């Protein structure tokens, strides 16, 4: 039989197990464009509700920005809908080349190659340039897509403790016999909102002759004085050998990603990176809109400045209210709840109060580290955030967690 009953039963049991643990991930249907305020149907079939959105990666509020939408309309009319080809056969338009050049200038690198997503960029880049004589040394909390890229590559793999420079140095010493050493890190870590100490990483890489790989998906467009990313923030622009990032977050939020960096690395990706060679070109409207986004961001820092102010206001508000938050200064502000079920319940209660957030728990974060990850946008305003804070206080009080530290929450709710 093609689909044996025993297999079906086993998978149904696994799904039931996920539900029993209270960690089943439901999807909510959004009936409006992506924005600071959205209209949501949740659960399925429930009446629509307007809520403040605190969980999109729409950091700069550009996902539905009129100039971005207009650029897509124009490209749709002038360059069509899809390419029906991979880039190297007949899938490269002038807009693709123009976007790659803009990204190179914006990121301060030598060259750029687009992928259908940053997941694809990370999946393709290591295998394209490294072999068994090389080593990849990654921070232990890098994004899942980097882990996948590492798995697909035949180079040796080692890790260092999260942002632990002494441990990284130890590893770099240990691997001096390899042809190439690549230090691999996220810029802003997506679940904690903290940043890699990139100046120290670059210094170590120079000392021990290693390359630096940076995934700046949660930073491109808004971290650093002019929003170039974590490398700008730490004064090491031009020193990142491999920079990957996404168009799917701050840069309009549709889809697409890239590898930007040393020319030879980009050239090798064009020859060998499998997600580039065997997957379709980025659609013209997306490429054109990404160009419009980079033009906006190159003309003014107003949006990243507004985002920074919103994030500072929000962090201070949650802290004053008595929540346990992860310190940092990115627009990712995790509210720690430790217990997965509690995170789910707090998220549900907040929804009833008109605030849209999602609980994160194992395997997205380590077991016992469940949280609600709030994310700010340049499109939030202070009155909106004040109302959201009131909702957090009300729900926090209901669950008796305001003013409790980590130990207190765990004593009350377990792990
Ligand atoms: C979101 C994210 C990705 C994946 O980006 P997509 O373009 O959506 O595939 C990769 N790396 C990091 C660090 C991310 O946060």
């Amino acid at each position: 039989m093609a689909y044996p009953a025993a297999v079906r039963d086993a998978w149904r049991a696994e799904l039931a197990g996920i539900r029993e643990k209270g960690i089943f991930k439901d999807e909510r249907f959004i009936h409006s464009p992506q924005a600071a305020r959205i209209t949501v149907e949740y659960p399925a079939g429930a009446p629509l509700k307007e809520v403040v959105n605190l969980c999109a990666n729409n950091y700069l509020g550009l996902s539905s920005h009129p100039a971005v939408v207009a650029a897509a309309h124009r490209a749709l009319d002038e360059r069509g809908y899809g390419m029906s080809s991979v880039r190297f056969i007949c899938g490269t338009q002038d807009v693709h080349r123009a976007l790659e050049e803009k990204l190179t200038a914006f990121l301060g690198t030598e060259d750029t190659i687009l992928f259908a997503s940053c997941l694809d960029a990370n999946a393709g880049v290591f295998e394209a340039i490294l072999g068994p004589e090389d080593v990849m040394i990654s921070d232990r909390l890098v994004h899942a897509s980097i882990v996948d890229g590492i798995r697909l590559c035949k180079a040796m793999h080692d890790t260092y403790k999260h942002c632990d420079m002494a441990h990284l140095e130890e590893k770099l010493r240990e691997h001096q016999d390899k042809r190439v050493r690549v230090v691999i890190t996220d810029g802003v870590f997506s679940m904690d909102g903290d940043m890699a100490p990139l100046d120290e990483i670059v210094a170590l890489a120079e000392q021990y002759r290693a390359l630096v790989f940076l995934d700046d998906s949660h930073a491109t467009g808004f971290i650093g004085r002019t929003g170039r990313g974590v490398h700008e923030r730490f004064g090491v622009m031009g020193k990142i050998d491999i920079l990957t990032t996404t168009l799917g977050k701050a840069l309009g939020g549709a889809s697409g990603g890239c590898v930007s960096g040393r020319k030879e690395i980009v050239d090798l990706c064009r020859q060998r990176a499998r997600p580039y060679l065997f997957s379709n070109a980025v659609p013209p409207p997306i490429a054109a809109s990404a160009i419009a986004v980079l033009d906006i961001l190159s003309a003014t820092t107003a949006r990243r400045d507004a985002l920074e102010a919103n994030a500072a206001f929000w962090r201070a508000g949650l802290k004053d209210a008595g929540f346990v938050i992860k310190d940092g200064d990115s627009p990712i502000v995790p509210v720690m709840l430790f217990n997965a079920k509690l995170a789910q319940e707090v998220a549900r209660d907040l929804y009833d109060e008109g605030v849209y957030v999602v609980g994160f728990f194992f395997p997205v974060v380590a077991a016992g580290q469940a949280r609600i990850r709030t994310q700010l946008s340049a499109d939030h305003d202070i009155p909106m955030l004040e109302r959201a804070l009131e909702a957090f206080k009300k729900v926090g009080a209901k669950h008796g967690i305001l003013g409790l530290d980590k130990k207190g929450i765990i004593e009350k709710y377990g792990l």
Side-chain angles (χ1 to χ4, degrees), residues 117-119 122 143 145 186 215 217-218 246 249 256:
S117 68
C118 188
L119 182 146
N122 289 338
H143 191 260
S145 58
D186 290 15
D215 180 338
S217 290
H218 281 283
T246 183
K249 293 189 170 102

